[in-house]
Amino acid sequence: MTDDFASILSSERLQAGGSGPLYVKLRRTLEEAIRTGSLGHGDALPPERDIAEFATVSRVTVRKAIDELVSDGLLVRRHGSGTFVTKPVSRVEQRLSQLTSFTEDMARRGMTSRSEWLHKGIHTPSPDEMMILGLATDVKVSRLSRLRIADNQPLAIENASVSGEFLPDPFVVTTSLYAELERHQVRPVRAVQRISATNMKEEDARLLGVSVGAAGLSIERISYLGSGRAVEFTRSLYRGDAYDFVAELTIGTP
Amino acid sequence: MTDDFASILSSERLQAGGSGPLYVKLRRTLEEAIRTGSLGHGDALPPERDIAEFATVSRVTVRKAIDELVSDGLLVRRHGSGTFVTKPVSRVEQRLSQLTSFTEDMARRGMTSRSEWLHKGIHTPSPDEMMILGLATDVKVSRLSRLRIADNQPLAIENASVSGEFLPDPFVVTTSLYAELERHQVRPVRAVQRISATNMKEEDARLLGVSVGAAGLSIERISYLGSGRAVEFTRSLYRGDAYDFVAELTIGTP
DNA sequence: TCTTACAATACCAAAAAAATACCATTTACC
DNA sequence: GGTAAATGGTATTTTTTTGGTATTGTAAGA
């Protein structure tokens, strides 16, 4: 039982929860906590047994309270895993200014995350790639494409292009492209990110499970070595209805 | 096992790592060590077996912790060789950006810019505004709405809400909201910006001269005083086909 | 008295977590 | 070059945690 819950479920609060059966008071208390944000979207509730013990009621009573919140759509149960606060719109935030990892970010929201590879291959560079990566005519380019999935919902398509000089064999990449580059002592030190909005084309829409024309957040990133040489070029397309990009800015004093 | 690791993985630290499963605590401990620099980039971790023995957990548990750090790009594995700390891109930080005005922004891009006021007024705050700006019930809010035009093309709709305490009279604002706030010694020092993609509604599409459903870049910004008090809340909608948001990221150890 | 809502107890099943045992690759030393 | 030690990789099993369900008891109201 977390400390947060100690205050949320304090017996005073439960008693003050108005009249009626125990499970109704408990439900109102939980509902209030969700609406006020004491329980954030994606947060896990403590185990039913813990709640029962803390509120000194039986587990069935706790379950009855939770039952109603589940049928109202405020909570979601996962057998063997826990009970979680639902997200009204499944919005995921990425905070650049914080050092939170993707896994932890998702875990904090009670979401599981994984990837599916769509493509790995060696290609003759497109004009775009040649220009951006500054390739000689005879150098090949490695392309890696994958679908990022959160809570079994496709969230984004990631297309990476890397110069063959830095990544001759794209098939060795398993989880992290950057980890693979690191293995060859290739270390980008700077990146430029370009964020724009675009309407989904048919194939992207199909992969992401949205309708054609839906708004998508396109993020293009080019990363550079200390020498100024471009290493990698990634085009990502995020579902506009499921992804927020959050940045914190500080104002310089002139 | 090095002495360094003895302190990094001391069982006290592992216990103090908060609640949750063992592998999560272990992951957090390692992550912390990497972030604080106790483990520099390029350093090798001790063998998994050693870590397991020292932390008195099974090797699989150690591997699970390391797995997540690998997929986040903080660590790199080399079969038969060891596990090493990388200098990953997932640890990018957005360079301290200045809160630039639209005019400056466009000037930097070599474009002429002007605005057309759509609305100025004093209103009873909406629930959104009350929550975000932290307003008392009897305080009014000033709303400013204008169309931003660059190179004679409508580019964005800007809706600003400012607490009446800071801007009692919105009609005095002519060009820059920030300049007007500055006149009253109101100086935001921090802002949080949320960028997302959305499909244009009819009215927005008409004002911006695009078709309904076209992709738009929605940027919400809340700016704060040094005290943490929110000053202003701006919702902007940019034409997705005409505006890019560019951020430069530097990669490095904090 | 009978019905019904409420609450408690005891046990079931699924999922996650952790441990065990064994496999594959790299490195180093001979 | 070959071989053994060291290291990460994987499959399988066991334990623990968590929600799910059936049964029973109790008290209020028809």
Side-chain angles (χ1 to χ4, degrees):
Chain A
M1 173 77 60
T2 30
D3 285 345
D4 296 341
F5 267 82
S7 65
I8 289 171
L9 291 180
S10 67
S11 43
E12 304 86 56
R13 269 210 182 172
L14 254 167
Q15 293 310 321
S19 61
L22 274 177
Y23 78 94
V24 175
K25 294 191 210 170
L26 187 54
R27 179 184 51 112
R28 276 199 289 255
T29 308
L30 289 171
E31 200 168 355
E32 178 74 8
I34 295 169
R35 300 223 185 277
T36 60
S38 308
L39 284 171
H41 302 154
D43 284 2
L45 258 61
E48 295 175 352
R49 286 167 180 83
D50 289 7
I51 299 181
E53 185 185 4
F54 189 83
T56 52
V57 295
S58 88
R59 217 187 112 214
V60 194
T61 306
V62 173
R63 282 185 60 76
K64 200 158 183 184
I66 292 181
D67 279 345
E68 303 199 346
L69 294 174
V70 167
S71 70
D72 283 350
L74 269 74
L75 294 176
V76 143
R77 285 191 157 114
R78 290 189 213 155
H79 196 169
S81 178
T83 302
F84 302 85
V85 180
T86 53
K87 302 173 289 293
V89 263
S90 118
R91 289 211 166 245
V92 177
E93 299 175 1
Q94 184 177 32
R95 283 195 168 78
L96 273 184
S97 50
Q98 258 175 256
L99 294 176
T100 56
S101 62
F102 187 74
T103 308
E104 189 171 357
D105 215 23
M106 294 293 157
R108 189 175 305 156
R109 295 171 166 76
M111 301 172 79
T112 58
S113 61
R114 61 191 172 90
S115 296
E116 267 176 28
W117 287 104
L118 299 173
H119 173 83
K120 292 180 189 177
I122 303 171
H123 303 262
T124 304
S126 71
D128 257 21
E129 290 168 334
M130 283 187 63
M131 194 181 68
I132 292 169
L133 298 176
L135 299 182
T137 44
D138 57 342
V139 176
K140 298 284 185 180
V141 62
S142 293
R143 288 192 198 137
L144 298 155
S145 177
R146 63 176 155 179
L147 194 62
R148 292 214 95 144
I149 298 165
D151 258 4
N152 289 320
Q153 286 257 336
L155 185 64
I157 301 166
E158 247 183 44
N159 293 298
S161 302
V162 195
S163 164
E165 297 169 72
F166 300 118
L167 185 74
D169 180 10
F171 297 96
V172 299
V173 177
T174 52
T175 51
S176 166
L177 169 60
Y178 279 86
E180 188 55 35
L181 290 173
E182 168 73 23
R183 276 191 52 187
H184 298 82
Q185 277 78 45
V186 177
R187 299 186 187 90
V189 296
R190 194 174 69 86
V192 174
Q193 208 157 246
R194 173 180 299 248
I195 304 168
S196 60
T198 176
N199 293 98
M200 294 267 182
K201 305 244 180 306
E202 193 186 337
E203 192 187 344
D204 295 332
R206 185 172 50 74
L207 283 168
L208 293 174
V210 296
S211 49
V212 175
L217 203 61
S218 165
I219 302 185
E220 293 178 13
R221 187 184 61 204
I222 308 174
S223 54
Y224 300 90
L225 294 178
S227 63
R229 178 75 197 282
V231 174
E232 164 259 356
F233 169 53
T234 300
R235 260 200 191 100
S236 303
L237 183 62
Y238 288 81
R239 281 176 51 173
D241 63 343
Y243 202 82
D244 269 353
F245 193 86
V246 175
E248 182 166 338
L249 313 171
T250 51
I251 299 168
T253 41
Chain B
M1 171 79 58
T2 29
D3 285 345
D4 296 340
F5 266 82
S7 64
I8 290 171
L9 292 180
S10 67
S11 43
E12 304 86 57
R13 268 211 183 173
L14 254 168
Q15 293 310 321
S19 61
L22 275 177
Y23 78 93
V24 174
K25 294 191 212 171
L26 187 55
R27 189 199 65 191
R28 277 199 288 253
T29 307
L30 290 171
E31 201 167 356
E32 178 73 10
I34 295 169
R35 198 185 322 176
T36 59
S38 309
L39 286 171
H41 39 264
D43 287 3
L45 257 61
E48 295 173 352
R49 286 169 180 81
D50 290 5
I51 299 181
E53 185 185 4
F54 190 83
T56 53
V57 295
S58 88
R59 213 187 116 213
V60 195
T61 306
V62 173
R63 283 185 59 76
K64 199 160 183 183
I66 293 181
D67 278 345
E68 302 200 344
L69 294 173
V70 167
S71 74
D72 283 342
L74 268 72
L75 295 175
V76 126
R77 285 191 157 112
R78 290 183 211 164
H79 196 165
S81 176
T83 302
F84 303 85
V85 180
T86 58
K87 200 161 112 186
V89 136
S90 58
R91 294 193 288 142
V92 295
E93 282 196 72
Q94 180 154 13
R95 179 176 288 175
L96 298 186
S97 313
Q98 288 205 347
L99 266 182
T100 55
S101 71
F102 180 80
T103 312
E104 288 172 39
D105 194 12
M106 288 302 124
R108 192 171 303 154
R109 294 168 194 234
M111 301 168 86
T112 61
S113 66
R114 60 190 172 89
S115 296
E116 271 175 25
W117 286 105
L118 299 173
H119 173 85
K120 291 181 192 176
I122 303 170
H123 303 260
T124 305
S126 72
D128 257 20
E129 289 169 333
M130 284 187 61
M131 195 181 67
I132 293 170
L133 298 176
L135 299 182
T137 44
D138 56 343
V139 176
K140 297 286 185 181
V141 62
S142 294
R143 286 192 201 140
L144 299 154
S145 177
R146 57 180 155 180
L147 192 62
R148 295 292 205 172
I149 299 164
D151 275 356
N152 288 320
Q153 286 256 335
L155 183 62
I157 301 165
E158 221 182 71
N159 293 298
S161 301
V162 195
S163 166
E165 298 169 71
F166 300 119
L167 184 74
D169 179 10
F171 296 97
V172 299
V173 176
T174 51
T175 52
S176 167
L177 170 60
Y178 277 82
E180 188 56 34
L181 290 172
E182 168 73 21
R183 276 190 49 195
H184 298 82
Q185 277 79 46
V186 176
R187 298 187 188 88
V189 296
R190 194 175 69 85
V192 175
Q193 208 157 245
R194 173 180 299 244
I195 304 168
S196 61
T198 178
N199 293 98
M200 295 266 184
K201 306 245 179 305
E202 193 189 336
E203 191 186 344
D204 296 331
R206 186 172 48 75
L207 282 168
L208 293 175
V210 296
S211 49
V212 175
L217 202 61
S218 164
I219 302 185
E220 293 179 13
R221 187 182 62 201
I222 308 173
S223 54
Y224 299 91
L225 295 179
S227 63
R229 179 75 197 281
V231 174
E232 165 256 357
F233 169 53
T234 301
R235 263 200 188 100
S236 304
L237 184 62
Y238 288 80
R239 281 176 50 171
D241 62 346
Y243 191 79
D244 276 347
F245 185 86
V246 179
E248 179 164 340
L249 317 167
T250 50
I251 300 160
T253 42

